[in-house]
Amino acid sequence: MRKLKVAALMLATAVVFTACGKKDNNENTPSPTPTEVVSPTDMAEPTPEGSDGSNVGGNEEGMPALPEVSEELENLHNEVVKFATTEIYGEEYGYAPDMSYDKTAISELFGVSEDWYDYALAEGTMISMHVDTFVAIHAKEGNLENVQNALNNYRDVLINDTMQYPMNQLKIQGSKVFTHKDYVFFIMLGFVDDSMLDAEEDTAIAEYEKMNQKVIDKITSVLGE
């Protein structure tokens, strides 16, 4: 698996998270183009845990506060990671998202207010040329539509109002916003191999859509109908 080392992280001080994601297994990476919409957000550091293992927010030194994650959501995330590792990315590359977003990032980057959810988990990657993202929000009563609108708007902005690395443009278009029970998900995972480099755009987008649909099917199987 590809693992980022601490030293590399120390150097990555200007990462733009909306252009984040795992490599698509393409060795010839184009030169970067600027992202126009979102401001960089500092990577969320692990927060202290309570006696039951749950996050208790930022510490007295002002560390970023991760949102609370329920046992159900934690289990769902574990299942998604295992599934994506084996069925989408492969053991050689592992699960692509490698950092968590804190409450502030969820609000400022994805547009989801802390008042709208009780549990949430959002993650992306630390490298600006990669865009792989997984967001799961458990909406409070009466706020499901607010969360849906926010994540759909985030997706629309990525597609229509940002400049992206060419290799990521089709992946973004293949992303999905999915609602199941009281959860709303933004799913942008997967890669196409070198055989797809010369394919028509619609064909490549359809491949990404299939990968994300597989994750949706897994989520449905875990949470139940």
Side-chain angles (χ1 to χ4, degrees), residues 51-186:
S51 58
D52 60 352
S54 61
N55 289 326
V56 295
N59 64 12
E60 58 187 12
E61 296 179 352
M63 292 175 65
L66 296 178
E68 187 174 354
V69 177
S70 65
E71 183 177 349
E72 179 180 62
L73 180 52
E74 182 178 9
N75 176 65
L76 172 63
H77 177 247
N78 290 338
E79 292 298 320
V80 167
V81 170
K82 288 190 292 185
F83 178 80
T85 298
T86 57
E87 302 297 329
I88 295 178
Y89 295 102
E91 295 287 353
E92 180 181 357
Y93 299 101
Y95 184 61
D98 54 10
M99 58 161 283
S100 296
Y101 291 108
D102 61 21
K103 293 178 181 179
T104 300
I106 291 173
S107 175
E108 295 182 354
L109 182 61
F110 299 103
V112 178
S113 169
E114 186 178 347
D115 295 333
W116 296 348
Y117 62 86
D118 45 13
Y119 307 113
L121 186 153
E123 55 189 6
T125 59
M126 291 182 283
I127 303 300
S128 63
M129 70 180 65
H130 303 156
V131 295
D132 296 60
T133 306
F134 178 78
V135 179
I137 308 290
H138 187 266
K140 291 181 180 178
E141 185 175 356
N143 288 281
L144 188 66
E145 187 173 350
N146 289 335
V147 178
Q148 290 172 325
N149 290 339
L151 292 182
N152 275 309
N153 181 68
Y154 174 73
R155 181 178 183 273
D156 290 343
V157 168
L158 283 182
I159 292 173
N160 299 310
D161 296 328
T162 62
M163 297 179 65
Q164 301 289 339
Y165 289 90
M167 66 182 181
N168 290 328
Q169 292 172 347
L170 304 182
K171 176 180 282 189
I172 290 170
Q173 293 181 63
S175 65
K176 290 180 178 287
V177 175
F178 169 63
T179 300
H180 186 72
K181 298 183 178 179
D182 294 328
Y183 287 95
V184 187
F185 301 88
F186 175 74

